[in-house]
Amino acid sequence: MNGMASDHNTSSQEEYLPHYLQKEDPFASKLSREADIIAGFYLTVIGILSTLGNGYVIFMSSKRKKKLRPAEIMTVNLAVCDLGISVVGKPFSIISFFSHRWVFGWMGCRWYGWAGFFFGCGSLITMTAVSLDRYLKICHLSYGTWLKRHHAFICLAIIWAYATFWATVPFAGVGSYAPEPFGTSCTLDWWLAQASVAGQAFILSILFFCLLFPTAVIVFSYVKIILKVKSSTKEVAHYDTRIQNSHILEMKLTKVAMLICAGFLIAWIPYAVVSVWSAFGQPDSVPIQFSVVPTLLAKSAAMYNPIIYQVIDCKFACCRSGGLKTLQKKSSLKKSR
């Protein structure tokens, strides 16, 4: 009986063919030509804005590189990841959308999938490190003051090694990169989970170590920060001006980090949900026209961060100028008295 059950499971797994093996040309677009042109223009705008915005962040940070705080170093690394996916990855998909098919073959597909996963994983792990830095600086001041610039650079080395490991694991034979169902883009081969137990183990490992665990750390850190800030706002008001200014700067960096994480997760969670459903739901049950929308939303994540930097910087500058005016008024009153 056990042998018959195992034979049945094996035969059912062998019967399943992913979408890219069901037809002769897996790289032909399954969308209309008009839809591909619209998606191509959309990605072009996203790519240009992301390249200019993140390039500007990196350029301005390089002018004061010796004064960057650990959290700001991590933010620059996030801009590098966003710039990398914009420069290395987006041209492939833009050309393919305008060509109405993926034109770079299997080698280009695997390269594009690797680059997208590498820079995406690097972004999420960087935000995880930033959230931990914010958590220690706000909630555990004794540990927070211990963190210095060289610790940030060690953390960067760990982030790049982590992203390289998980992005390269599929090339070791336990996973793969494959074309998306709509044909003009490539991603991690989520459909391996439909074919074998080993594929399910691989996809579950990717989900835990590259999505669920980092997201849980980020949520935990910022929930603890919000609770701490609510309880300590009155205490900070009794400190001297230097400590108050330091607290304001730390809170500014924390707001930037929270908004960046929120924007990233909002952009990527729909794609993650569709990918998990493709891996463990009914085979080929996600409509092709529906699967392209989360993909395009996820590709826009690299554009948000420079906008967030500028909004927070302008708001912080206004608050700071308002504070200076208040101090000037106080000093003039003292002089008149």
Side-chain angles (χ1 to χ4, degrees):
M1 293 294 291
N2 292 335
M4 292 177 62
S6 62
D7 291 340
H8 176 73
N9 291 334
T10 303
S11 62
S12 64
Q13 290 174 354
E14 289 176 352
E15 288 174 0
Y16 173 74
L17 284 177
H19 63 275
Y20 53 85
L21 296 179
Q22 294 175 4
K23 298 180 180 180
E24 294 181 358
D25 188 0
F27 298 123
S29 176
K30 311 305 185 296
L31 304 174
S32 66
R33 187 172 291 275
E34 292 76 14
D36 277 336
I37 291 174
I38 292 173
F41 275 116
Y42 168 81
L43 289 180
T44 300
V45 173
I46 294 295
I48 292 173
L49 292 178
S50 175
T51 301
L52 294 177
N54 289 291
Y56 175 77
V57 170
I58 295 171
F59 172 73
M60 295 303 294
S61 299
S62 66
K63 299 176 71 172
R64 51 185 294 268
K65 55 186 177 182
K66 294 183 178 180
K67 298 181 179 180
L68 293 176
R69 301 160 68 91
E72 293 173 314
I73 294 173
M74 294 295 177
T75 303
V76 174
N77 189 65
L78 186 59
V80 171
C81 292
D82 292 339
L83 183 64
I85 192 59
S86 299
V87 173
V88 175
K90 280 190 174 60
F92 285 79
S93 55
I94 291 171
I95 293 172
S96 296
F97 273 114
F98 282 125
S99 301
H100 197 49
R101 63 174 287 107
W102 180 264
V103 297
F104 301 101
W106 277 104
M107 186 66 71
C109 181
R110 294 187 180 99
W111 159 251
Y112 177 83
W114 180 91
F117 190 28
F118 172 72
F119 288 113
C121 181
S123 296
L124 184 57
I125 302 305
T126 299
M127 286 185 285
T128 305
V130 171
S131 68
L132 285 174
D133 173 80
R134 297 293 85 211
Y135 170 70
L136 293 174
K137 286 286 177 68
I138 303 298
C139 300
H140 300 281
L141 190 59
S142 58
Y143 291 101
T145 55
W146 175 77
L147 294 173
K148 303 299 180 183
R149 282 170 57 92
H150 66 277
H151 296 111
F153 290 114
I154 293 172
C155 191
L156 290 184
I158 296 173
I159 290 170
W160 288 110
Y162 192 92
T164 301
F165 172 78
W166 284 108
T168 310
V169 160
F171 295 129
V174 296
S176 183
Y177 294 101
E180 298 267 16
F182 50 87
T184 47
S185 181
C186 293
T187 184
L188 191 71
D189 192 348
W190 300 98
W191 302 272
L192 286 173
Q194 298 280 358
S196 66
V197 176
Q200 293 177 1
F202 168 71
I203 295 300
L204 287 173
S205 299
I206 290 290
L207 286 173
F208 179 78
F209 289 104
C210 300
L211 179 63
L212 297 179
F213 178 69
T215 302
V217 173
I218 290 171
V219 172
F220 168 81
S221 298
Y222 289 124
V223 167
K224 297 294 286 185
I225 287 171
I226 291 171
L227 295 176
K228 181 67 175 180
V229 168
K230 284 185 177 180
S231 63
S232 62
T233 303
K234 295 181 180 179
E235 297 176 8
V236 175
H238 298 291
Y239 295 156
D240 59 39
T241 304
R242 183 178 61 82
I243 296 178
Q244 289 182 11
N245 292 337
S246 177
H247 179 75
I248 291 172
L249 180 57
E250 294 296 344
M251 291 310 302
K252 174 209 171 185
L253 295 174
T254 303
K255 289 178 181 178
V256 171
M258 290 178 69
L259 288 173
I260 288 172
C261 292
F264 184 90
L265 294 177
I266 290 171
W268 277 97
I269 282 178
Y271 179 79
V273 170
V274 171
S275 299
V276 171
W277 183 260
S278 299
F280 299 102
Q282 287 295 110
D284 304 322
S285 59
V286 180
I288 292 176
Q289 291 75 11
F290 179 77
S291 66
V292 70
V293 176
T295 302
L296 295 177
L297 178 62
K299 293 179 185 297
S300 68
M303 180 189 67
Y304 304 147
N305 297 341
I307 298 173
I308 293 171
Y309 303 149
Q310 295 304 313
V311 169
I312 294 293
D313 279 340
C314 291
K315 184 177 178 181
F316 183 68
C318 292
C319 293
R320 185 169 53 192
S321 62
L324 287 173
K325 289 179 180 178
T326 303
L327 290 175
Q328 289 173 356
K329 287 181 180 179
K330 287 183 178 181
S331 62
S332 63
L333 284 173
K334 288 181 180 178
K335 288 180 181 179
S336 62
R337 287 175 183 174

